[in-house]
Amino acid sequence: MAEGRIGYDISVTVNDSNNRTSWSRGHFISAYEFNSESHCKGDGNSSKYIFIKGLDDVSLKENTHTKEGRLKEDSLLSAGSSINFVSIEEAVSDNAERYNVKINESMPSYLMSVEETMYRGEGLHKRNIFQNHDDKMMTSYHAKKFSESSAFAARYRNALIMADVVPSGVDEFAGENHSSMLRFVSESDIYSGFKFKSPDRDIEEDYVGSFKISKKVASEHSFQFAEDDIGGMLDCCPATYPGLDYSLRAAWSCLLHSMLNDSSLAVK
């Protein structure tokens, strides 16, 4: 189920006789829910491309190609978003040389993916990119003998944005609540790669040869505030926010906990 995109887009410029400053902020999302379960088993060549976006900055991209060989793959995929509220308060000085805005938004979204893959054949190339705002997790493989069990979960909850724009510059506060986690167990006989990129971290790992890898990576961005902490500027903003409440959350949580806590595959 999908509906039209809802959100906001703000772009302002202030200037005086000496300076000029621009600032912009936007967030659009569609209220929808998507669920998919697939199972594949057979011999031959295969190609798969999956790209999920439209959840603000939460996305998944998978690109897999196999040459002649035997492939077995089971996957579960779920994504969704909802719109609770968006509150925008703007103020402009009499001489239009100062602009203030306070954006209090709750447009939560989530993305969950669980996958098991086994392959034996002439060659497999597989690449996954998982992204949640500025956090990006990537895996890549090249193998003739390959297996992987993976689980990814990403969630974006809400944000409080405040900006004070004057000709000499911008004073901005951006508080966002979002988290993501990737757990995978893999075996590859030619090449395995993992990358994690964020504003304050950059991890890159390459393994050439036959390797078994087990890894869990989690990232969380959260903030809590009290009205007194920001000088009484937050009169309209609640101190806590509602989380996601989807009908499939309980079932998916059980499945993810099982995959994340006890996940193993053996290459035979």
Side-chain angles (χ1 to χ4, degrees):
M1 180 181 70
E3 299 178 2
R5 289 169 61 82
I6 298 175
Y8 62 88
D9 189 12
I10 299 173
S11 181
V12 300
T13 299
V14 297
N15 64 276
D16 58 19
S17 59
N18 298 315
N19 297 292
R20 175 187 178 95
T21 299
S22 298
W23 178 84
S24 62
R25 173 82 184 189
H27 186 181
F28 289 89
I29 205 165
S30 300
Y32 80 101
E33 185 174 322
F34 171 80
N35 301 287
S36 172
E37 178 178 349
S38 64
H39 306 276
C40 174
K41 183 178 181 180
D43 298 284
N45 302 315
S46 70
S47 177
K48 182 173 73 169
Y49 178 75
I50 298 175
F51 185 24
I52 295 179
K53 62 177 183 177
L55 300 167
D56 189 29
D57 289 328
V58 180
S59 64
L60 176 152
K61 183 184 292 186
E62 178 183 345
N63 199 337
T64 303
H65 300 275
T66 67
K67 296 180 180 179
E68 183 69 30
R70 174 174 290 272
L71 174 68
K72 182 179 184 298
E73 184 180 78
D74 300 291
S75 63
L76 295 167
L77 185 62
S78 181
S81 58
S82 64
I83 300 167
N84 294 328
F85 61 82
V86 178
S87 172
I88 301 176
E89 294 187 8
E90 299 174 290
V92 181
S93 64
D94 292 339
N95 57 5
E97 293 182 0
R98 185 166 197 159
Y99 171 82
N100 287 277
V101 66
K102 178 168 56 179
I103 306 168
N104 186 16
E105 64 174 62
S106 177
M107 293 188 281
S109 58
Y110 76 95
L111 176 61
M112 301 182 189
S113 174
V114 179
E115 186 175 84
E116 288 194 7
T117 305
M118 298 187 71
Y119 171 81
R120 307 291 183 272
E122 296 181 3
L124 169 144
H125 291 270
K126 179 178 171 66
R127 178 177 173 85
N128 285 77
I129 301 176
F130 308 97
Q131 185 163 356
N132 189 353
H133 289 73
D134 292 331
D135 293 336
K136 183 183 292 186
M137 304 175 185
M138 295 165 278
T139 60
S140 57
Y141 302 100
H142 178 204
K144 292 184 177 181
K145 188 178 182 182
F146 174 76
S147 65
E148 182 190 33
S149 176
S150 66
F152 173 74
R155 181 172 63 172
Y156 178 84
R157 289 186 175 182
N158 41 62
L160 173 68
I161 311 298
M162 294 187 295
D164 183 19
V165 186
V166 295
S168 60
V170 178
D171 185 13
E172 180 181 15
F173 169 80
E176 297 177 309
N177 283 318
H178 60 87
S179 59
S180 53
M181 179 277 306
L182 172 66
R183 168 70 188 272
F184 65 90
V185 178
S186 67
E187 293 191 31
S188 175
D189 63 346
I190 298 178
Y191 169 79
S192 302
F194 169 77
K195 294 181 181 180
F196 176 72
K197 294 182 178 293
S198 71
D200 58 352
R201 279 160 290 179
D202 193 345
I203 301 171
E204 184 170 350
E205 301 174 3
D206 294 285
Y207 304 90
V208 178
S210 182
F211 282 91
K212 299 179 181 180
I213 301 173
S214 177
K215 188 177 291 291
K216 178 180 178 180
V217 181
S219 179
E220 182 174 1
H221 300 260
S222 63
F223 79 101
Q224 292 183 341
F225 58 86
E227 183 175 324
D228 293 340
D229 293 339
I230 314 181
M233 294 180 64
L234 310 177
D235 294 338
C236 76
C237 308
T240 59
Y241 292 86
L244 296 176
D245 186 16
Y246 292 93
S247 59
L248 292 178
R249 185 175 62 176
W252 271 101
S253 295
C254 179
L255 176 61
L256 283 171
H257 277 94
S258 176
M259 291 293 296
L260 300 178
N261 294 331
D262 186 18
S263 179
S264 63
L265 282 176
V267 177
K268 300 179 181 180

